[in-house]
């Protein structure tokens, strides 16, 4: 399972929990403006907007998991196995493979409105990056620094772009169905509940937090969608960058998966491998990993963004405990 959010207290903070059981050797990667992109069915691009994200690098190609560009547009790919459907090459359409979608949009768009325009005549092409890598069944959340979010899904009925008023995405089912399920929890509240059950009886509200009694807590996609939408929508605004980044990670970590709870096959468990937080306004990527709770950061504007070569930083680190005595 994975969860992605955009939190907008003043600046806009975008990112995700990547929950899975297979490590692909992801790194933090900066793709500078003059790194050349060759597409399968679109013209080669010698220069474009720069971006930063988490990526697998294969044959010097950035296979992105999530990233933001220098104009403040963010995108993350989350598993969507089942409803997902990609297409063979279609005449009269922009044919974009699933692994090209992120670099193509980040290279060419500043806002989610630009993305809607560019995808109006697009189709996702069913081609893998190489014979030894499977096609990833994904849907995508995109957010921009004006505070808008959208979701892109390719299903048998075609390519769909939905406005995302809750700024949250998890996995199945399709996005409109996830939104509908929020109604089942419309009365969940941070306040202690009013007794409307037996108003004539003086109930002993025996605990704090009873307004969240019905909030789901499962690892499944729908439960995480509802829980993180609630946590995000009630999150406080911090007074500075450090406070906002701290708030952001508390929101995402409210739906993180510890090892041992989500068995995907005998004795093999999905867990939250990393969580990232990308400031869309400042171009800084913050991250924590399963084994390292410290918040690490990479600022894209401190790198040479006019370079032609990928710039990589380690993502997975050892635990870093500050012993006090
Ligand atoms: C597994 C990741 C999604 C995490 C997620 O949504 N988990 C929920 C699982 S489930 O619903 O409960 O089954 C996805 C997100 C981005 C994906 C990667 C990116 O698409 C980049 C390449 C694309 C290649 O085709 C496959 C390797 C790959 C490196 C992908 C591996 C894997 O599919 C990733 C890492």
């Amino acid at each position: 399972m994975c969860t992605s959010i955009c939190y907008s207290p003043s600046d806009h903070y975008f990112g995700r929990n990547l929950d899975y059981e297979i490590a692909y050797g992801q790194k933090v990667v900066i793709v500078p403006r003059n790194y050349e992109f060759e597409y399968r069915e679109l013209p080669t691009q010698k220069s474009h907007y720069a971006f930063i994200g988490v990526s697998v690098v294969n044959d010097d190609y950035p296979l992105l998991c999530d990233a933001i560009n220098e104009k403040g547009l963010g995108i993350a790919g989350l598993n969507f196995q089942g409803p997902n459907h990609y297409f063979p090459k279609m005449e009269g359409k922009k044919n974009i493979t699933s692994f090209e979608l992120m670099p193509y949009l980040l290279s060419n768009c500043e806002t989610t409105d630009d993305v809607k325009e560019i995808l109006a005549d697009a189709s996702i092409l069913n081609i893998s990056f190489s014979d030894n890598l499977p096609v990833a069944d994904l849907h995508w959340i995109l957010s921009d620094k004006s505070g808008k979010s959208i979701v892109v899904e390719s299903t048998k009925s075609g390519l769909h772009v939905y406005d995302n008023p809750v700024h949250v995405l998890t996995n199945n089912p399709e996005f409109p169905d996830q939104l509908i399920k929020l109604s089942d929890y419309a009365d969940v509240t941070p306040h202690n509940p009013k007794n409307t059950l037996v108003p004539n009886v003086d109930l002993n509200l025996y605990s704090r937090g009873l307004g969240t009694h019905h909030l789901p807590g499962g690892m499944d996609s729908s439960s995480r969608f509802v829980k993180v939408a609630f946590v995000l929508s009630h999150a406080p605004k911090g007074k500075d960058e450090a406070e906002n980044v701290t708030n952001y990670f508390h929101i995402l970590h409210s739906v993180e998966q510890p090892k041992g709870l989500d068995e995907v096959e005998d004795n093999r468990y999905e867990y939250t491998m990393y969580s990232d937080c990308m400031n869309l306004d400042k171009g800084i990527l913050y991250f924590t990993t399963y084994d390292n709770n410290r918040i690490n950061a990479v600022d894209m504007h401190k790198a040479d963004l006019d370079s032609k070569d990928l710039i990589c930083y380690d993502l997975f680190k050892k635990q870093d405990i500050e012993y006090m005595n």
Side-chain angles (χ1 to χ4, degrees), residues 24-94:
Y24 286 90
Q26 283 99 332
K27 294 192 174 301
V28 175
V29 175
I30 295 175
V31 181
R33 296 179 188 118
N34 295 307
Y35 172 89
E36 186 172 308
F37 273 108
E38 283 180 16
Y39 298 99
R40 302 292 164 104
E41 296 291 339
L42 294 167
T44 295
Q45 234 179 331
K46 283 191 183 296
S47 65
H48 47 77
Y49 298 139
F51 38 98
I52 182 169
V54 172
S55 182
V56 175
V57 178
N58 198 311
D59 282 340
D60 197 39
Y61 185 93
L63 289 164
L64 296 168
C65 299
D66 43 81
I68 65 168
N69 70 11
E70 59 181 309
K71 296 294 177 185
L73 176 71
I75 176 166
L78 287 80
N79 257 13
F80 191 46
Q81 233 161 10
N84 185 60
H85 185 84
Y86 301 144
F87 294 85
K89 187 175 169 181
M90 291 173 83
E91 287 310 322
K93 297 252 186 195
K94 277 186 212 102

Side-chain angles (χ1 to χ4, degrees), residues 1-3 16-22 24 26 54-58 62-66 76-81 98-99 102 127-130 132-140 170-172 219 221 224 257 262 264 270 274:
M1 307 290 166
C2 280
T3 306
R16 63 107 57 81
N17 283 339
L18 188 127
D19 307 338
Y20 211 50
E21 65 286 358
I22 302 166
Y24 286 90
Q26 283 99 332
V54 172
S55 182
V56 175
V57 178
N58 198 311
L63 289 164
L64 296 168
C65 299
D66 43 81
L78 287 80
N79 257 13
F80 191 46
Q81 233 161 10
S98 61
F99 62 85
M102 288 204 220
I127 287 184
S128 63
F129 177 75
S130 64
N132 53 3
L133 281 177
V135 174
D137 290 313
L138 303 174
H139 58 173
W140 297 270
T170 58
N171 305 102
N172 295 356
M219 311 269 153
S221 175
R224 281 178 293 107
Q257 300 197 46
D262 184 1
V264 290
E270 182 174 298
Y274 69 83

Side-chain angles (χ1 to χ4, degrees), residues 150-161:
I150 58 173
V151 169
V152 176
E153 296 186 336
S154 180
T155 63
K156 281 203 170 116
S157 55
L159 190 62
H160 303 277
V161 181

